[in-house]
Amino acid sequence: MTRLGARALIDATVDPGSFRSWDEPIDRTGYDAGYLAAIERAETKAGTDEAVLTGRALIRGHAAALVVSEFGFLGGSIGVATAARIVAAVRRATRERLPLIAAPASGGTRMQEGTPAFVRMVEISRAVVAHKAAGLPYLVYLRHPTTGGVFASWASLGHVAVAEPGALIGFLGPLVYRTLRGQPFPDGVQVAENLVAKGILDAVVPTGELAEVAARALALLSGTRRLSGTRRPAAGTPPREAQFETAQAETGQAGTGGDAWSSITLTRRPDRPGVRELLRHAADDVLPLNGTQSGETDDALLLALTSFSGTPCVLVGQDRRTQSQHRPLGPAALRGARRGMRLAQELGLPLICVIDTPGADLSAAAEEGALAGEIARCLAEMVELTVPTVSVLLGEGSGGGALALLPSRRVIAAGNAWLSPLPPEGASAILHGGPEFAAQVARRQRVRAVDLLADGTVHAVVPEPVPAHRDPAGFARRVADECLRQIESQRRTPA
Ligand SMILES: CC(C)(COP(=O)(O)OP(=O)(O)OC[C@H]1O[C@@H](n2cnc3c(N)ncnc32)[C@H](O)[C@@H]1OP(=O)(O)O)[C@@H](O)C(=O)NCCC(=O)NCCSC(=O)CC(=O)O
């Protein structure tokens, strides 16, 4: 692999001439002669005075603090002074309220220094945690190679974490593994692409695309509202309260759902727009995130940083295109949703939860993966969020998998959306021993959007003047506009 040094990466990523170093000269008092000689050789080889460079810069006009490893300096390893430089930069970023971008590449703790250096990983983590606790973004770009205590601390704490294609990323270096275990580490495991596949990292990003991705993430994570080109709710759209009344007035008429069974049938059509169409037609930008960061991923759930009409938010959405009887929504999807909830809360961004599921996974694997517990934990975490939250019943809303994303401060429903404790066929089985009475049971269970509105479960219904599949773009924009209204009204009256 070609390795871009710290300076080359900075030059390739930041706006020309914008980098300002924060680095102080290193005090090497007390180093022994052998270590000093190694440092001198490293300085000559790498052209840097330590294994990290720090400073501030602009990336496509967005100010950010940078911590960038130099692998050519003793393998990017972390000594006591290296750690002190990182901690100082992170703290300064926090003080100056700058988003932080780290680009590690490291063999981990510096072996020449041993344990005094090893324990500094705690201090670096403490500084990063404090930075995040201040509501500031932390992005990580893991480069080749990132290993050991670096991967096990500041490289793994990003709100968003992407990696260089083909980068070796692992806890134990292959050299050490082979020495300790007498055999090579299995191929294809400690590589960026595999970690993305396993839901540990968000994406692989070539170095040449880092500036673009970082700038988009900074715009979304910093809550930057676009000043121009902002689309507001369409002129003539009634205010939310008026829509509330309209929906009530039209109960049972076209636009707010008719018969329960006809709504259920409509939402089960393969061409019913889902969360992907919502984003395609109504979002300004979408930065998809991947997995739980803990080794699980489930594409039944779409997690993204996005923005509607210049309002950035975290979106957690059940994806109707990827759920099937063979691949239903499982516990990992709900753990991914909880990552989204934490992200929104930490960054002070609104959270939009899109509910659209024929039901969660009913398999042995889901039971053993703590599906019920994950539903409970979603409920528990959502009710504690203090950022604006909006749940959107977009189509099917079946069972606990749907309920898990319901407890927002405001809940809206599409005209034909529905929410029921079980798939109607399952409810019929409980009451009548078989699925034949699904339609009658659904009618009795008050599952329709208008019933949910009348019963106080939802706060507004977004009418479908024609069923959503006949006007996906208009449908998406109306849903997004209602989400924006609900976010704005919460901003006016905080939790
Ligand atoms: C990172 C690597 C995969 C890179 O392999 P490469 O073949 O590309 O490069 P390399 O091995 O020749 O390393 C390049 C130069 O960096 C030096 N180097 C690498 N890692 C170092 C470290 N941790 N401390 C001091 N120097 C280090 C090498 O000695 C070499 O020096 P020269 O050029 O002079 O020959 C490998 O170096 C490696 O496996 N390192 C150990 C990774 C690891 O297990 N770290 C855990 C450390 S304990 C820790 O971090 C705490 C924890 O685990 O919790």
Side-chain angles (χ1 to χ4, degrees):
M1 284 220 36
T2 51
R3 286 180 176 136
L4 223 46
R7 286 233 165 79
L9 183 84
I10 292 169
D11 288 345
T13 307
V14 310
D15 297 351
S18 70
F19 182 72
R20 298 284 174 273
S21 173
W22 285 349
D23 295 335
E24 303 283 345
I26 303 284
D27 177 4
R28 307 214 189 269
T29 314
Y31 287 20
D32 67 37
Y35 186 26
L36 274 177
I39 296 262
E40 264 174 42
R41 283 195 300 277
E43 284 178 334
T44 308
K45 178 178 165 192
T48 60
D49 67 342
E50 246 303 338
V52 292
L53 299 183
T54 73
R56 70 172 284 161
L58 297 176
I59 299 178
R60 308 265 162 103
H62 298 277
L66 302 180
V67 173
V68 181
S69 293
E70 172 52 64
F71 189 81
F73 191 104
L74 299 177
S77 58
I78 308 296
V80 172
T82 336
R85 180 174 279 187
I86 297 172
V87 168
V90 176
R91 291 198 179 135
R92 183 163 172 183
T94 313
R95 271 197 317 277
E96 298 187 11
R97 297 212 58 82
L98 286 169
L100 175 64
I101 300 180
S106 176
T109 298
R110 187 166 297 166
M111 291 299 113
Q112 290 86 339
E113 295 193 26
T115 300
F118 174 45
V119 296
R120 292 303 195 278
M121 297 299 178
V122 178
E123 292 315 308
I124 300 174
S125 302
R126 196 191 306 278
V128 166
V129 168
H131 182 79
K132 292 169 72 179
L136 294 163
Y138 178 49
L139 310 179
V140 182
Y141 184 53
L142 295 97
R143 292 147 64 220
H144 175 79
T146 299
T147 61
V150 169
F151 188 33
S153 62
W154 50 292
S156 287
L157 293 172
H159 290 118
V160 178
V162 297
E164 188 181 4
L168 186 161
I169 299 168
F171 178 51
L172 198 61
L175 171 73
V176 181
Y177 183 89
R178 196 169 52 242
T179 308
L180 296 181
R181 295 291 172 89
Q183 55 185 357
F185 197 81
D187 269 348
V189 176
Q190 295 180 318
V191 61
E193 286 75 1
N194 183 49
L195 302 189
V196 173
K198 296 291 181 294
I200 294 167
L201 300 177
D202 287 309
V204 160
V205 174
T207 305
E209 293 169 23
L210 181 59
E212 165 71 15
V213 172
R216 286 172 56 201
L218 289 173
L220 292 167
L221 287 170
S222 317
T224 316
R225 278 160 174 271
R226 288 187 318 168
L227 298 175
S228 60
T230 294
R231 191 176 56 76
R232 287 278 141 225
T237 311
R240 197 199 61 72
E241 291 74 12
Q243 272 205 338
F244 195 110
E245 286 161 14
T246 310
Q248 279 175 325
E250 289 178 356
T251 299
Q253 294 173 19
T256 53
D259 170 65
W261 193 245
S262 71
S263 281
I264 289 167
T265 310
L266 275 175
T267 58
R268 286 176 170 175
R269 288 178 61 102
D271 56 357
R272 170 94 179 167
V275 66
R276 282 169 190 271
E277 287 72 25
L278 174 67
L279 290 169
R280 186 179 311 139
H281 295 297
D284 316 315
D285 193 12
V286 182
L287 202 66
L289 303 180
N290 170 57
T292 57
Q293 297 189 313
S294 307
E296 284 183 302
T297 181
D298 183 339
D299 63 7
L301 186 103
L302 197 147
L303 171 61
L305 296 168
T306 185
S307 148
F308 294 104
S309 295
T311 298
C313 59
V314 175
L315 182 134
V316 163
Q318 295 167 343
D319 186 355
R320 69 194 316 279
R321 302 265 168 261
T322 51
Q323 293 172 75
S324 69
Q325 272 200 332
H326 306 293
R327 299 195 55 194
L329 181 106
L334 297 178
R335 283 189 269 278
R338 291 205 287 123
R339 179 186 169 198
M341 293 168 200
R342 283 193 300 275
L343 202 57
Q345 184 70 22
E346 282 179 12
L347 291 161
L349 291 175
L351 176 72
I352 296 179
C353 295
V354 175
I355 297 165
D356 197 358
T357 181
D361 191 357
L362 304 175
S363 68
E367 295 286 345
E368 290 174 1
L371 178 69
E374 280 308 315
I375 294 170
R377 279 182 280 279
C378 280
L379 300 177
E381 289 192 23
M382 278 198 77
V383 298
E384 290 287 316
L385 298 178
T386 55
V387 293
T389 51
V390 182
S391 292
V392 182
L393 284 161
L394 199 64
E396 295 185 84
S398 197
L403 193 76
L405 299 189
L406 189 72
S408 286
R409 287 170 59 204
R410 306 296 288 185
V411 184
I412 67 172
N416 283 303
W418 51 278
L419 177 71
S420 74
L422 268 183
E425 292 79 359
S428 167
I430 291 178
L431 291 170
H432 304 288
E436 309 78 43
F437 296 92
Q440 288 94 315
V441 171
R443 281 179 199 117
R444 281 210 306 274
Q445 285 196 326
R446 300 187 62 73
V447 304
R448 298 175 309 165
V450 284
D451 300 326
L452 300 169
L453 181 70
D455 295 344
T457 303
V458 310
H459 301 95
V461 173
V462 180
E464 295 181 42
V466 293
H469 65 274
R470 289 185 18 217
D471 178 24
F475 174 71
R477 282 196 293 269
R478 279 194 302 281
V479 170
D481 284 350
E482 187 55 44
C483 287
L484 288 174
R485 268 189 212 97
Q486 299 295 346
I487 289 167
E488 283 306 322
S489 87
Q490 289 175 63
R491 284 197 167 130
R492 285 195 299 273
T493 46

